[in-house]
Amino acid sequence: MKKKYFGTDGIRGKVNQNKINGEMFFKFGLAAGRYFTNLKKKKQTAIIAKDTRLSGYSLEPALVSGLASAGMHVYTLGPLPTNGLAMLTKMFKANMGIMITASHNPYFDNGLKLFGPDGLKLSDNIEKKIEKLIDKKTELLLSKYNLLGRVKRLETATDTYINILKKNFPKKFNLQNMRIVIDCANGAGYKSAPKLIKSLGAEVITLGNKPNGLNINEKCGSTFPKKIQLAVKKNNADIGISLDGDADRVIMCDERGKIIDGDQIIAALSLRWKKKKILRGGVVGTLMSNYGLEKFFKSQDIKFSRADVGDRYVKELMQKKNYNLGGEQSGHIILGKFATTGDGLLVALEALFAIRKGIKASKFFNVFKKTPQILENVNYKNEKILKSNSLLRSISNAKKIIKGKGRVLVRKSGTEPKIRIMAESENIELIKKCILMIKKEVK
């Protein structure tokens, strides 16, 4: 059964439209709270963090009200990376963690990501059960007046998260004599990212650390890596690190200003982990992972599997296969040895740990040749177009002409009204031809 509210990565959309408004967030909080209180465990606690969007000021109180009305005690953490929330949810043994964010989307979008007590994103099955409660009459879900939840603000969340990250590395680990550019996307990591890197002794050039509620992801962060490229060259830095709005993604650039995407980061870390005998089983990528990455794993005798797009699906396949490394080209990378979900800052730390003794970033990350790949995101107005005979026929024809020479993948975005068209081949003109064939049919 298709989900009504949840997409591939929680709930997301434009603020004050449809499902992203105060009324709906109250209902989400009430329904999610009631689901967990119905389990009748002794401790009924929810933890909430958010990114820096202006809409967080109106949506968070509504969500908190819904949770407390269902009888859940609530701790609010303020701006914190998504994996920081997941880690604290697990640490405090809370029933649920909720991140208010629209990740890499513009400020006028917002949404929710829900985590269970194990720090993992809620399963499709649980999300469907919560959805059923959302549509019930409010009065049927409210707690008795003497069983309402209490709400408390925790001011120590950032320091707690930083300490958890640092404990994954030796006490002597430091980044002295390194100059690092970090772009926080004016988002959830604007406090924790520079504070952590500075605490390890590095000289830090910080970008995107002045959020005003409207500038999250605006010409900055992982979707705009040009900013770290320019800053690395200007400041003669050793590496550039770029997070997204909720800091669960990371894109980097080396000392020469060359962009390092998620596939290249995964390849470099997998090779290091294999040599250090840390890698367990193999690596999980997605349908979007570059074919060159797949060939690299084959050459290194590393098992590789593709999951559906979305870090929750990467994690599910990692669990199924008992692998401890996986991720996406976009920079969602899960270090299963340390975390339950993507964490841009943690991945950056792991890379920095690898090059801390003077290894050039350009050498560490240059381990495989990418197959030329083009991805285009095309807006659509009517979902029916995605099932139209003309579009399906154009996709089929594109796959026929590229067969044996490359790959075509077309999918609907789980978070935006867009169709994502990807083609890869050594033949650039063939890629362009395939994408154009499909793009023409999207209206």
Side-chain angles (χ1 to χ4, degrees):
M1 185 178 71
K2 186 179 177 181
K3 290 183 286 186
K4 183 177 178 181
Y5 299 108
F6 291 92
T8 55
D9 195 13
I11 298 169
R12 199 177 302 180
K14 282 190 170 52
V15 173
N16 285 345
Q17 294 182 23
N18 300 319
K19 53 194 176 184
I20 310 298
N21 56 60
E23 180 184 9
M24 287 304 300
F25 268 49
F26 173 81
K27 290 182 178 180
F28 291 147
L30 186 62
R34 179 53 60 204
Y35 170 78
F36 282 99
T37 54
N38 282 345
L39 298 179
K40 295 182 179 178
K41 292 183 178 179
K42 286 184 180 180
K43 191 176 182 181
Q44 306 292 348
T45 306
I47 300 180
I48 297 176
K50 61 181 179 179
D51 62 27
T52 57
R53 293 164 209 271
L54 179 64
S55 55
Y57 289 106
S58 60
L59 297 175
E60 184 182 41
L63 181 65
V64 169
S65 180
L67 289 162
S69 296
M72 293 202 82
H73 301 303
V74 183
Y75 291 95
T76 61
L77 310 181
L80 191 74
T82 288
N83 190 45
L85 169 75
M87 286 177 164
L88 267 67
T89 300
K90 189 175 180 180
M91 176 180 166
F92 291 139
K93 298 179 181 178
N95 301 72
M96 170 175 47
I98 305 177
M99 182 72 187
I100 303 174
T101 184
S103 193
H104 59 283
N105 288 27
Y107 81 92
F108 48 74
D109 290 342
N110 216 329
L112 299 174
K113 294 182 181 182
L114 276 65
F115 295 84
D118 52 4
L120 295 170
K121 288 182 178 176
L122 294 186
S123 66
D124 286 334
N125 185 43
I126 293 177
E127 286 182 346
K128 286 175 183 176
K129 289 179 179 179
I130 291 173
E131 284 192 339
K132 285 183 180 180
L133 293 171
I134 290 170
D135 292 328
K136 282 197 171 186
K137 288 185 178 181
T138 298
E139 54 265 32
L140 297 177
L141 304 179
L142 295 171
S143 287
K144 290 182 179 180
Y145 45 79
N146 62 324
L147 296 176
L148 294 172
R150 298 176 184 272
V151 183
K152 185 178 181 180
R153 171 80 174 210
L154 286 182
E155 300 290 351
T156 56
T158 294
D159 288 336
T160 302
Y161 168 56
I162 287 174
N163 289 335
I164 292 173
L165 292 183
K166 289 172 78 169
K167 283 180 181 177
N168 292 312
F169 299 89
K171 285 186 178 181
K172 293 182 180 179
F173 171 39
N174 71 77
L175 298 172
Q176 290 176 8
N177 302 317
M178 287 193 73
R179 183 177 295 165
I180 299 167
V181 171
I182 185 155
D183 183 350
C184 307
N186 292 311
Y190 85 98
K191 289 182 180 179
S192 54
K195 187 172 185 178
L196 171 59
I197 303 300
K198 285 178 182 176
S199 74
L200 292 170
E203 180 185 345
V204 182
I205 296 96
T206 308
L207 311 173
N209 66 328
K210 295 179 180 178
N212 61 17
L214 307 176
N215 60 0
I216 187 171
N217 299 314
E218 184 182 18
K219 293 185 179 179
C220 61
S222 65
T223 56
F224 196 79
K226 185 177 180 180
K227 202 160 185 177
I228 54 169
Q229 284 182 297
L230 294 173
V232 163
K233 290 179 181 178
K234 180 181 177 181
N235 294 282
N236 195 28
D238 297 291
I239 193 170
I241 298 164
S242 196
L243 307 174
D244 72 333
D246 69 330
D248 67 348
R249 292 186 184 197
V250 63
I251 296 294
M252 303 183 196
C253 76
D254 64 24
E255 76 282 358
R256 299 170 182 169
K258 183 181 178 183
I259 295 298
I260 304 158
D261 68 11
D263 284 349
Q264 293 161 313
I265 296 170
I266 291 167
L269 292 184
S270 69
L271 199 59
R272 173 179 165 78
W273 281 21
K274 184 184 178 184
K275 289 177 181 176
K276 297 288 183 181
K277 296 183 179 179
I278 297 171
L279 189 67
R280 188 178 68 225
V283 179
V284 173
T286 74
L287 298 173
M288 299 295 289
S289 297
N290 192 273
Y291 183 59
L293 179 65
E294 186 174 335
K295 290 193 290 184
F296 165 74
F297 285 134
K298 191 172 183 179
S299 71
Q300 296 296 323
D301 197 28
I302 295 174
K303 293 177 182 177
F304 177 66
S305 298
R306 292 180 185 267
D308 288 337
V309 176
D311 65 335
R312 64 180 295 171
Y313 301 118
V314 171
K315 182 60 180 179
E316 285 173 3
L317 190 56
M318 286 171 63
Q319 287 181 302
K320 184 178 179 180
K321 290 185 169 288
N322 197 27
Y323 292 177
N324 66 348
L325 179 61
E328 303 182 90
Q329 191 180 73
S330 63
H332 273 124
I333 298 170
I334 302 171
L335 306 183
K337 183 175 182 287
F338 308 117
T340 57
T341 190
D343 188 330
L345 194 48
L346 176 61
V347 172
L349 271 187
E350 182 68 8
L352 291 170
F353 184 73
I355 66 172
R356 70 194 186 282
K357 293 182 180 179
I359 298 173
K360 295 288 185 182
S362 56
K363 181 180 180 181
F364 178 70
F365 289 109
N366 187 27
V367 295
F368 83 95
K369 182 184 176 184
K370 294 177 67 175
T371 299
Q373 183 186 83
I374 296 176
L375 170 65
E376 287 208 26
N377 298 311
V378 186
N379 290 310
Y380 62 82
K381 293 181 180 179
N382 190 337
E383 278 200 30
K384 290 182 180 178
I385 189 65
L386 304 180
K387 295 182 179 179
S388 70
N389 290 331
S390 60
L391 179 58
L392 294 175
R393 189 163 49 247
S394 68
I395 293 171
S396 177
N397 290 338
K399 287 182 176 180
K400 283 178 183 177
I401 67 170
I402 206 170
K403 189 176 181 180
K405 303 170 188 174
R407 197 167 66 101
V408 167
L409 178 69
V410 181
R411 69 179 186 89
K412 176 190 169 191
S413 168
T415 58
E416 302 171 275
K418 293 180 180 181
I419 181 171
R420 307 198 193 280
I421 309 168
M422 186 277 288
E424 56 185 357
S425 171
E426 294 295 338
N427 187 332
I428 302 294
E429 293 306 312
L430 184 58
I431 293 176
K432 292 178 179 178
K433 182 178 179 180
C434 289
I435 288 177
L436 185 61
M437 285 174 64
I438 299 166
K439 190 177 177 179
K440 284 194 305 184
E441 300 300 330
V442 182
K443 300 179 179 69

